Amino acid sequence: MTVTQFEILLKQHGNFIFGFCCHLTGSTDLAEDLYEMAVLKAFSMICKINCKGSDEDSYKSARNYIIGIAVRLYKNEIRKKMNNSIVYDNEIIDSIKSEQDIEADFLENDIKSAVRQAVDNLSDKFRIVVYMFYFVDMSIEQISCNLKIPKGTVKSRLNRARAIIKKEMEEKGYDGY
């Protein structure tokens, strides 16, 4: 990857990578630090980043590489006993207000908030896989490669996370989720 391609990558996917860091850390302050460290680390390894073309798939692959770096840095920080508290700002939840059906919008936001809380309550090994699969749209294979764990482990963690989220949602009275 060239420096020019790296700049294009950050212009196109920088906000997405930062958003992932926000989800991962639960704090914009910690996310800023994590984002900066991940980008610097990626830039220092620019020759290892595969971006053989200017098509969207090449840049998504490079984006996923940086997200993998961010996950590893985040795990390392946790191991070093840095701030492990999760603070979630409910304003991050996207809310699209409909003038026709405010009650439906309220219920939808309530469910999103409950799901977000259930995901945030997961342990890191489940939460990270859920974020990568659902929020970054990474495949099982890509997650496996980035986290350096077997595909079966990724599938197992996703399945267990879904079961934990389902149980928590049912306990809160959200049947069928």
Side-chain angles (χ1 to χ4, degrees):
M1 172 174 263
T2 66
V3 174
T4 305
Q5 288 175 318
F6 193 80
E7 289 174 1
I8 292 169
L9 169 68
L10 291 181
K11 285 179 185 174
Q12 290 179 353
H13 297 283
N15 288 337
F16 187 86
I17 296 167
F18 178 74
F20 180 81
C21 291
C22 286
H23 285 299
L24 197 58
T25 62
S27 164
T28 54
D29 292 334
L30 294 173
E32 288 173 358
D33 293 339
L34 180 61
Y35 175 78
E36 289 175 8
M37 289 189 303
V39 169
L40 286 173
K41 180 88 170 174
F43 188 75
S44 71
M45 301 183 323
I46 197 168
C47 61
K48 292 184 179 181
I49 301 174
N50 185 10
C51 191
K52 294 185 179 179
S54 60
D55 63 332
E56 188 62 26
D57 286 340
S58 294
Y59 284 108
K60 279 187 178 180
S61 175
R63 176 198 72 186
N64 292 345
Y65 184 79
I66 295 174
I67 286 173
I69 291 171
V71 168
R72 286 187 293 282
L73 289 171
Y74 174 73
K75 284 181 169 182
N76 289 340
E77 292 299 318
I78 289 175
R79 284 187 199 114
K80 292 177 185 176
K81 302 291 183 190
M82 292 206 51
N83 187 2
N84 193 21
S85 64
I86 298 174
V87 179
Y88 183 72
D89 184 1
N90 285 331
E91 293 177 7
I92 294 177
I93 296 176
D94 295 328
S95 61
I96 301 172
K97 297 294 177 188
S98 169
E99 293 178 12
Q100 298 171 343
D101 196 358
I102 294 173
E103 183 178 342
D105 288 343
F106 175 77
L107 291 174
E108 181 180 336
N109 287 338
D110 188 45
I111 292 169
K112 283 182 182 179
S113 179
V115 170
R116 169 68 65 196
Q117 187 63 41
V119 171
D120 286 344
N121 289 338
L122 294 171
S123 66
D124 281 342
K125 70 179 187 179
F126 296 124
R127 188 168 42 95
I128 290 170
V129 172
V130 168
Y131 282 148
M132 293 176 95
F133 188 77
Y134 288 106
F135 297 108
V136 182
D137 292 328
M138 292 175 78
S139 68
I140 301 289
E141 293 80 20
Q142 290 170 328
I143 296 169
S144 172
C145 181
N146 275 310
L147 296 180
K148 297 179 180 160
I149 57 176
K151 293 177 195 174
T153 303
V154 173
K155 291 177 184 178
S156 174
R157 288 181 184 178
L158 278 173
N159 191 34
R160 288 181 186 162
R162 288 182 195 119
I164 292 168
I165 293 168
K166 180 180 179 181
K167 181 180 176 187
E168 190 170 326
M169 293 296 288
E170 287 173 350
E171 287 174 359
K172 291 180 180 179
Y174 297 99
D175 292 329
Y177 290 98

